[in-house]
């Protein structure tokens, strides 16, 4: 998960050009990572309720999940106003935790059948009525919303239900001894504090790669592609290559000053941002 997010950050900041949304290998990686995340959430729910439901502890965990999901949404609306996170993995896990309580005492076969049904419904059903902003989180929308992390109830709750069913088939799960070496102890610690790890690692990686992007300036694949395309378009108008080179560098500088460069490269500008790009182009034009 951290590696995937790191690659996303590298691409967003123009330090790499991973095709995360189009390359079948990256799409498969995302599916496997998210599926394992939700599968373990289902297993954990069974372990947490093995001796009966501790309502106080469950509600405390649910409140932390909901608060974390709200914080992620708030940050995304600030950073990515064109593609905010309104129902990401944390939102999903909060909802799935409540729904999953209905399955932790049911026969494993029934829960696994429900998991399969959820996946099939999410993959093959699409109803226009669910295109409403208030219903998109269910997953039956005909047009996927533009969001940086959309994990709708269907089909993804199938992963949580599969985890519950598999844990019910394995009564001794979670009772084995901890590993003796440092690596296994570190992994166990991260597992016990998975929410904190999830919330902290991405801001750290995002901030680190932002600093790197500021340091390398134009020397990134996206920056070079922009500059070459800008100069080519400029020279086609009859302007001299030297002046075009200067003008295009000016545009990059103005966008960076305005805090628009990352969103411009990632094609995540809103209408106001696009107008400000136009203003930068005019300000840096040959008339200077």
């Amino acid at each position: 998960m951290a590696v995937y997010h790191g690659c996303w950050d590298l691409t967003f900041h123009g330090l790499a050009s991973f095709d995360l949304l189009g390359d079948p290998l990256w799409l498969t990686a995302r599916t496997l990572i998210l599926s394992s995340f939700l599968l373990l959430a289902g297993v954990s729910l069974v372990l947490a309720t093995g001796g009966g439901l501790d309502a106080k502890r469950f509600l405390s965990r649910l409140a932390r999940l909901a608060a974390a999901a709200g914080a992620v949404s708030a940050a995304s609306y600030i950073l990515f106003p064109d593609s905010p996170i309104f129902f990401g993995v944390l939102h999903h896990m909060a909802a799935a935790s409540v729904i999953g309580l209905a399955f932790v005492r049911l026969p494993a076969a029934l829960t696994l059948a429900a998991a399969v049904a959820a996946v099939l419904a999410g993959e093959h059903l699409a109803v226009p009525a669910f295109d409403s902003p208030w219903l998109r989180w269910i997953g039956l929308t005909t047009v996927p919303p533009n969001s940086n992390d959309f994990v709708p109830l269907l089909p993804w709750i199938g992963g949580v239900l599969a985890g519950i069913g598999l844990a019910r088939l394995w009564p001794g799960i979670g009772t084995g001894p901890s590993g003796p070496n440092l690596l296994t102890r570190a992994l166990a610690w991260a597992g016990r504090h998975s929410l904190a790890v999830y919330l902290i690692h991405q801001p750290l990686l995002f901030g680190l790669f932002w600093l790197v992007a500021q340091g390398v300036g134009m020397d990134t694949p996206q920056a070079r592609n922009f500059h070459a395309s800008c100069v080519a378009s400029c020279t086609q108008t009859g302007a001299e290559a030297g002046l075009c080179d200067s003008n295009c560098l000016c545009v990059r500088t103005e966008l960076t000053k305005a805090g628009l460069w990352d969103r411009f490269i990632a094609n995540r500008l809103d209408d106001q941002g696009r107008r400000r790009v136009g203003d930068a182009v005019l300000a840096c034009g040959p008339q200077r």
Side-chain angles (χ1 to χ4, degrees):
M1 177 192 66
V3 170
Y4 181 91
H5 284 162
C7 292
W8 189 94
D9 294 339
L10 285 168
T11 300
F12 180 84
H13 289 303
L15 298 170
S17 54
F18 299 113
D19 186 8
L20 300 178
L21 300 179
D23 189 325
L25 290 178
W26 278 113
L27 292 174
T28 300
R30 178 185 184 274
T31 299
L32 292 176
I33 293 167
L34 181 54
S35 296
S36 64
F37 211 69
L38 298 176
L39 187 79
L40 291 173
V43 171
S44 298
L45 190 60
V46 172
L47 293 175
T49 57
L53 176 64
D54 184 335
K56 183 177 179 180
R57 186 176 181 181
F58 177 82
L59 290 175
S60 175
R61 173 184 175 275
L62 185 63
R64 290 196 301 272
L65 267 177
V72 168
S73 287
S76 73
Y77 274 94
I78 296 172
L79 293 172
F80 318 113
D82 292 336
S83 54
I85 299 171
F86 66 92
F87 202 81
V89 64
L90 295 183
H91 306 71
H92 180 102
M93 290 181 68
S97 295
V98 176
I99 296 171
L101 288 179
F103 291 87
V104 293
R105 293 290 178 267
L106 294 180
L110 180 59
T111 303
L112 292 173
V116 173
V119 172
L120 291 176
E123 291 292 333
H124 298 289
L125 294 180
V127 182
F130 288 90
D131 290 341
S132 164
W134 300 104
L135 298 176
R136 290 176 183 171
W137 62 275
I138 296 174
L140 299 181
T141 176
T142 62
V143 181
N146 186 18
S147 175
N148 276 314
D149 183 27
F150 182 50
V151 187
L153 199 64
L154 298 172
W156 291 106
I157 197 173
V160 177
L161 295 179
I164 294 173
L166 293 175
R168 295 278 289 158
L169 289 174
W170 188 358
I173 190 171
T175 59
S178 299
N181 60 60
L182 180 61
L183 175 61
T184 53
R185 289 200 299 271
L187 290 173
W189 181 89
R192 288 192 296 270
H193 302 87
S194 56
L195 181 58
V197 172
Y198 183 87
L199 290 174
I200 293 172
H201 85 277
Q202 177 63 325
L204 286 178
L205 290 174
F206 192 88
L208 173 64
F209 292 134
W210 179 84
L211 289 174
V212 173
Q214 305 314 300
V216 299
M218 287 292 293
D219 192 22
T220 65
Q222 283 82 353
R224 290 194 296 270
N225 289 341
F226 160 77
H227 194 73
S229 176
C230 178
V231 171
S233 298
C234 177
T235 54
Q236 286 178 0
T237 66
E240 295 181 359
L243 179 60
C244 288
D245 184 79
S246 175
N247 290 338
C248 291
L249 182 58
C250 171
V251 171
R252 163 66 198 272
T253 302
E254 290 300 314
L255 294 181
T256 301
K257 287 180 180 177
L260 296 172
W261 175 250
D262 288 339
R263 280 183 283 164
F264 172 74
I265 285 295
N267 194 26
R268 298 179 187 277
L269 290 172
D270 55 16
D271 290 339
Q272 182 181 4
R274 283 188 283 270
R275 286 194 295 270
R276 293 176 70 182
V277 170
D279 293 340
V281 172
L282 289 175
C284 295
Q287 67 272 22
R288 291 189 304 134

